[in-house]
Amino acid sequence: MRILCFMLICAALMNVLPASAEDKADYASDFSAGTDGWYPRSMGGASLDVTEDGALWITGRSADWHSPGRDFPLAAGESYRLRVLVRQNELNEARMVLSVAHSKAGVESYENLAFASAKRGEWTELAASYVAGAFERFVLYVETLGAPKLDFEIKEFTLEGKTLSLNQADLPSLKEAYASYFPFGTAVTYMEAINRTRMDFYASQFNIFTPGNELKPDSVLDVPACQKLAAEDETAVAVHLFAAKPMLDYAREKGIPVHGHVLVWHNQTPEAFFHEGYQPARPLVSREVMLARLENYIKAVFEATETQYPGLIVSWDVVNEAVDDGRPTLRDSRWKTVIGEDYVERAFEFARKHAPEGVKLYYNDYNTAYEPKQTGIVDLLKKLQAAGTVDGYGFQMHHDISQPGYSAIEKAFRRIAALGLRLRISELDVTIPDQSEASLEAQAKLYGQVMKLAVSFADQVEGVQVWGVTDDLSWRAKQFPLLFDAAFTPKPAFRAVLEAAGQE
Ligand code: 9MR
């Protein structure tokens, strides 16, 4: 049966590689059932609503570029005809712009395509012809010029011309290929989570999500609120989930579980956390105060997530990257300075005490295949295991085709598996120096090897997650580390990952 599935998957895959140009794929916006893939381009704050007469309203803007935007899979070299109507009711006249944000290898650039002055209350047309440049991703959007706070609406957006179409309905799905083994997931960042077209694609491929940045302490710790509370109680902690909300909302709507990342880390943690009054200019707090803040932070995060999203987060990285790269001991960090060598153990104790029933607790780290770090990780895990506070280990697996090499990866995996912990591959990606066929095949080979290893430990593996979906949005975009290119075309590595699921 599994072999049959595998053959069907391969046959389907051959039909969809590469993405193909359709004869004519005009687009006309239709907001009758929602925002139709449009999303608010901003760093948070702006939001989109469909009006009663079928237009799309943007509110909460604070910069001219804050705009309704939508991804369009345009084909380089093709010409397009664009048109949209825009209306505003606040100013006598407002300068409106139809623009495109295009990116290649992770570098975004912009072109203004059409300008118009919109008089108060009048529907005004923005129209342009556009020949798509050699980019991998295109976002079309409507912005203002000198009116950053203006609310406005758009309707009847049309695009004529050939768009690329990835026949996603026929694309084999990673989550289905791995269904009998473990969930297959991805990291999702804020800018991805607010793009519904993109998220629907992710939901077709993945069945666990983790926030790429949005549940880290610098997103979650509410420093101004903590500063106010500190006047009364130096140990009080306030948190919010604003940055993670789009992803958590989407996951809840679709019933996709979430892995939480991360409670305690030396990185992406506000310096204020460690200081009296939560004021970075004041002295560091005492060990006692910091231990109480640590416990209160962990408790507050679990309370916030469980109250707002009951049961959605099934596991957490409690501590991330605590072991040093060059020594088998803990790295220097604010946590170690203020609390001492036992901060990791205390964090796990607090997490065990306050975690909702059944939520699995992980220690997560990178460079597991390297000594002496590997030994440091094993020693730490043994200590936590003896205390009964850890459930598993998360291998980040940020690799490159040239190092550390599969045999070192396998050896590390077997050594840690032997501890009897649950295992996750939490941040898989594989960098390559260029997009030559040889590099892409070497990348595919390593992905395939890693996935076969995970499958051979399927009883112990709780899940595998890639650290992003399309190369252009990766943290290492310039080294093309993921399974899809910017146009969502599956790369050879995607095929290799599917094939790895076909082994017995
Ligand atoms: O993917 C994350 C990237 O957007 C951030 O800029 C970066 C900064 O710390 O963190 C990245 O995620 C890291 C993860 O949280 C822990 N392991 C390493 C990941 C890649 O740096």
Side-chain angles (χ1 to χ4, degrees):
M1 182 60 190
R2 189 169 287 155
I3 288 171
L4 180 64
C5 287
F6 173 52
M7 286 166 61
L8 289 172
I9 285 169
C10 289
L13 189 58
M14 282 162 65
N15 290 331
V16 295
L17 282 174
S20 59
E22 284 181 356
D23 285 349
K24 188 166 168 104
D26 295 351
Y27 167 81
S29 62
D30 174 4
F31 302 125
S32 57
T35 61
D36 194 26
W38 291 77
Y39 54 92
R41 301 179 69 249
S42 79
M43 298 303 284
S47 57
L48 287 186
D49 291 294
V50 176
T51 66
E52 272 175 13
D53 47 354
L56 201 58
W57 251 112
I58 182 157
T59 54
R61 303 169 65 240
S62 53
D64 275 322
W65 67 271
H66 291 180
S67 49
R70 189 180 190 275
D71 281 63
F72 287 90
L74 306 185
E78 291 292 337
S79 55
Y80 297 91
R81 183 85 205 133
L82 309 164
R83 180 182 174 272
V84 63
L85 295 179
V86 54
R87 183 168 69 173
Q88 59 87 21
N89 297 317
E90 287 171 37
L91 306 172
N92 287 337
E93 223 167 354
R95 292 285 285 161
M96 307 298 305
V97 192
L98 172 62
S99 301
V100 59
H102 29 50
S103 42
K104 187 165 186 179
V107 179
E108 195 171 56
S109 50
Y110 311 89
E111 279 176 79
N112 301 132
L113 305 179
F115 296 85
S117 281
K119 293 207 172 71
R120 187 197 307 269
E122 285 182 15
W123 282 109
T124 305
E125 184 185 83
L126 284 163
S129 293
Y130 171 57
V131 178
F135 296 97
E136 295 157 339
R137 183 179 174 215
F138 301 86
V139 181
L140 295 168
Y141 62 100
V142 179
E143 60 184 329
T144 54
L145 210 56
K149 296 198 170 150
L150 181 70
D151 296 344
F152 64 87
E153 57 190 322
I154 62 165
K155 69 172 184 182
E156 294 175 23
F157 184 100
T158 55
L159 176 140
E160 286 170 26
K162 285 186 213 162
T163 55
L164 283 175
S165 94
L166 180 66
N167 193 346
Q168 295 174 358
D170 290 348
L171 188 66
S173 156
L174 296 167
K175 69 175 183 187
E176 281 156 26
Y178 281 88
S180 61
Y181 300 125
F182 38 71
F184 199 105
T186 181
V188 178
T189 59
Y190 181 88
M191 287 309 281
E192 294 165 278
I194 59 177
N195 180 340
R196 195 147 181 115
T197 314
R198 184 172 268 276
M199 290 304 283
D200 288 345
F201 176 65
Y202 291 7
S204 74
Q205 287 292 329
F206 304 103
N207 51 4
I208 189 158
F209 289 155
T210 201
N213 286 310
E214 295 72 10
L215 284 179
K216 293 173 179 172
D218 63 352
S219 290
V220 172
L221 188 74
D222 186 342
V223 175
C226 289
Q227 287 168 340
K228 283 194 193 126
L229 294 172
E232 293 289 320
D233 178 2
E234 275 286 7
T235 71
V237 174
V239 301
H240 62 67
L241 304 177
F242 297 149
K245 189 176 185 314
M247 194 271 269
L248 295 174
D249 284 350
Y250 185 90
R252 175 171 58 191
E253 181 193 323
K254 298 281 179 178
I256 299 169
V258 170
H259 173 77
H261 174 83
V262 49
L263 295 170
V264 177
W265 193 19
H266 62 278
N267 210 349
Q268 287 182 279
T269 301
E271 178 63 24
F273 206 173
F274 304 96
H275 292 262
E276 288 176 5
Y278 289 91
Q279 305 282 355
R282 292 183 53 194
L284 294 170
V285 295
S286 66
R287 166 180 161 89
E288 285 64 39
V289 168
M290 203 62 223
L291 278 171
R293 283 187 185 178
L294 174 61
E295 175 162 12
N296 289 338
Y297 178 75
I298 290 173
K299 184 165 175 256
V301 175
F302 285 144
E303 272 172 11
T305 49
E306 271 312 287
T307 319
Q308 296 173 46
Y309 301 92
L312 187 65
I313 303 189
V314 295
S315 50
W316 268 96
D317 292 331
V318 176
V319 178
N320 190 34
E321 303 175 2
V323 176
D324 206 73
D325 277 320
R327 304 169 293 167
T329 52
L330 296 187
R331 73 166 70 234
D332 293 329
S333 73
R334 276 287 184 230
W335 289 107
K336 192 167 115 178
T337 310
V338 181
I339 293 182
E341 290 279 342
D342 62 340
Y343 84 87
V344 178
E345 288 147 276
R346 297 287 88 77
F348 273 93
E349 263 169 45
F350 298 144
R352 188 61 103 207
K353 183 168 155 200
H354 298 292
E357 180 92 35
V359 167
K360 290 201 168 61
L361 304 178
Y362 283 83
Y363 174 67
N364 194 55
D365 214 330
Y366 65 96
N367 279 358
T368 322
Y370 294 90
E371 286 290 17
K373 182 166 183 168
Q374 187 183 108
T375 297
I377 292 171
V378 168
D379 292 348
L380 180 63
L381 288 171
K382 281 183 178 163
K383 238 191 270 179
L384 298 170
Q385 236 182 334
T389 51
V390 72
D391 294 305
Y393 180 63
F395 291 82
Q396 290 187 9
M397 298 220 184
H398 295 294
H399 296 312
D400 181 82
I401 47 167
S402 66
Q403 49 86 21
Y406 176 66
S407 68
I409 297 169
E410 182 186 349
K411 212 169 137 217
F413 200 87
R414 291 190 184 282
R415 181 170 177 200
I416 293 188
L419 298 175
L421 289 163
R422 306 303 297 163
L423 305 173
R424 305 185 85 245
I425 294 180
S426 53
E427 306 182 12
L428 180 60
D429 57 15
V430 179
T431 50
I432 46 180
D434 52 50
Q435 297 196 84
S436 66
E437 208 182 316
S439 294
L440 289 166
E441 285 307 326
Q443 180 182 52
K445 184 172 174 207
L446 188 58
Y447 263 107
Q449 286 172 316
V450 166
M451 290 314 301
K452 280 184 186 156
L453 180 63
V455 165
S456 70
F457 280 88
D459 292 345
Q460 222 174 324
V461 172
E462 287 282 321
V464 172
Q465 287 167 184
V466 281
W467 203 244
V469 181
T470 55
D471 281 338
D472 57 322
L473 299 188
S474 162
W475 69 297
R476 303 200 286 181
K478 293 197 169 78
Q479 295 156 284
F480 321 102
L482 298 172
L483 301 180
F484 294 88
D485 74 11
F488 294 97
T489 310
K491 293 163 59 184
F494 177 79
R495 181 207 62 219
V497 170
L498 285 172
E499 283 175 6
Q503 68 164 20
E504 284 299 334

